[in-house]
Amino acid sequence: MSDTCNRQVWLASRPTAIPHAEHFGIREVEIPNIAEGEILVRNQYLSVDPAMRGWIADPRGYLPQVKVGDTMRAFAVGEVLMSRNPDYVVGEMLMGIFGWQEYAAVAADAVLLRVKERDLPCSLALGALGLNGITAYFGLLEVGCPESGQTVAVSTAAGAVGSIVGQIANIKGCKTVGFTGGPAKVRQCLDEFGYEAAIDYKSTNDIDGAIASVAPGGVDVYFDNTSGPVSDAVMRHINIGARVVICGTAAYPSWNPWNTGPRPERHLIVKRARMQGFLATDFSDRFNEAAAQLANWIREGRLRYREDILEGLENAPGALQRLYSGQNDGKLLIRLAAAG
């Protein structure tokens, strides 16, 4: 390769809450050599995800904490440039944990998905056909277990995961209620993503009353991306046998000190309801199944998506701040020069 420079975004200091641009730096290093069993991937798109805040902040998380000085861990999609692993060939498109950088030398365990749906944009491997879509797919269908005619409520309903949850629930014949912030996102939920009702939590003083109005029969499945006051209100409206799916806790900028609030236990007991957390990687052996089904729904026009794409690696440091302030309009991505 004529170009020997690899630009990386690295963690320069550890934030106490939402990471801002000043917590990161951009550096130039040599493109790495690959060892036996590894592949060299040239990234085309980088993902910006709520989970990245936890990777920075939580030393007890499901992945090791990103250390100061490390290249920022991130999902990315790119093309195999070199391979010393017989399972991967040059030219193949892959999605995995490749980091906020232009080139990544990785072992096979960093690869999460082969990008097989080549008739669709490869950026979707980080959104509707990637971890966002797969999280929605398994979280709703395997953990939430919705039945036709039941009511499914979703927080951050216009987000990269929530928007897909609502649409899958519609496909399965459920009534859908979304929680989102601001009139523009309410319109998105209703007009683009097919929610039957959408509640603007930012302008609604009586969330309990709003839930009772749009879901008078109660909530059978709650897909929770936020925790916080919205979730506290939904708990008061769950039905007997309800399933509460815990996907995220975006309502809180930090869990140090630990956040406290209303207790759900009485609702769970009296209503014989179930609350369960999950990670998409719990279903890693079925990723291709989910991606194939999601792709078919997109081709059929039954699943819509929206992407918010920032141009260039230099926009990555401030992207998490943008995400948590709600400035994004769809799945937030960074497009690199390799994408063309």
Side-chain angles (χ1 to χ4, degrees):
M1 292 174 293
S2 58
D3 185 0
T4 62
C5 176
N6 179 28
R7 293 195 303 158
Q8 302 173 324
V9 175
W10 59 286
L11 184 65
S13 62
R14 193 173 306 285
T16 57
I18 303 300
H20 289 200
E22 58 264 30
H23 295 111
F24 299 96
I26 296 178
R27 62 191 173 197
E28 294 185 358
V29 298
E30 292 288 313
I31 293 176
N33 295 315
I34 55 173
E36 190 67 32
E38 290 187 333
I39 54 176
L40 180 67
V41 177
R42 187 181 185 188
N43 289 330
Q44 295 189 8
Y45 290 89
L46 310 179
S47 188
V48 185
D49 296 290
M52 297 170 73
R53 183 196 65 180
W55 297 343
I56 295 171
D58 189 358
R60 303 173 303 279
Y62 56 90
L63 288 176
Q65 186 183 45
V66 177
K67 297 178 181 178
V68 173
D70 285 353
T71 301
M72 184 59 208
R73 180 187 298 134
F75 300 112
V77 63
E79 180 182 1
V80 178
L81 290 187
M82 298 178 63
S83 177
R84 297 185 67 186
N85 186 314
D87 292 333
Y88 300 97
V89 299
V90 172
E92 190 171 10
M93 293 294 293
L94 303 175
M95 185 275 284
I97 303 178
F98 304 151
W100 269 357
Q101 58 185 333
E102 293 175 326
Y103 296 87
V106 296
D109 59 2
V111 178
L112 297 178
L113 189 69
R114 297 178 191 267
V115 181
K116 297 182 177 181
E117 315 298 338
R118 301 299 287 266
D119 59 311
L120 298 172
C122 71
S123 59
L124 291 183
L126 295 173
L129 301 183
L131 263 293
N132 297 132
I134 289 169
T135 296
Y137 182 91
F138 288 116
L140 179 64
L141 299 181
E142 298 290 336
V143 183
C145 304
E147 299 176 10
S148 180
Q150 291 188 331
T151 295
V152 175
V154 185
S155 57
T156 60
V161 173
S163 61
I164 297 175
V165 172
Q167 293 179 86
I168 295 175
N170 285 335
I171 290 169
K172 297 300 180 180
C174 298
K175 176 179 179 178
T176 50
V177 176
F179 298 91
T180 191
K185 290 191 176 181
V186 166
R187 297 288 358 141
Q188 268 189 308
C189 287
L190 298 174
D191 297 342
E192 291 186 41
F193 304 134
Y195 279 90
E196 295 183 41
I199 297 171
D200 182 357
Y201 69 87
K202 290 184 177 180
S203 64
T204 302
N205 295 324
D206 181 10
I207 294 180
D208 276 279
I211 296 171
S213 175
V214 299
V219 173
D220 300 293
V221 180
Y222 176 45
F223 197 102
D224 185 7
N225 289 301
T226 61
S227 186
V230 168
S231 299
D232 296 337
V234 174
M235 291 301 297
R236 294 189 282 271
H237 295 268
I238 60 173
N239 288 329
I240 291 175
R243 285 80 68 202
V244 179
V245 183
I246 305 299
C247 182
T249 58
Y252 295 107
S254 174
W255 282 89
N256 185 22
W258 199 263
N259 295 281
T260 59
R263 307 294 184 185
E265 290 86 352
R266 191 65 183 171
H267 294 293
L268 299 175
I269 292 171
V270 172
K271 299 167 185 176
R272 283 84 82 198
R274 169 168 54 86
M275 178 183 286
Q276 180 180 339
F278 81 104
L279 299 175
T281 49
D282 297 339
F283 302 92
S284 58
D285 59 337
R286 297 173 59 191
F287 275 9
N288 287 329
E289 166 202 329
Q293 179 60 80
L294 292 161
N296 284 337
W297 283 333
I298 289 174
R299 295 185 186 104
E300 294 166 358
R302 304 175 75 187
L303 186 65
R304 304 175 76 175
Y305 63 89
R306 182 178 284 210
E307 296 178 321
D308 187 345
I309 299 177
L310 305 177
E311 297 291 342
L313 189 74
E314 59 274 9
N315 278 305
L320 280 170
Q321 181 183 0
R322 179 184 177 91
L323 181 70
Y324 272 93
S325 63
Q327 297 177 54
N328 60 302
D329 185 18
K331 168 62 186 179
L332 192 56
L333 300 166
I334 311 293
R335 178 160 46 207
L336 302 182

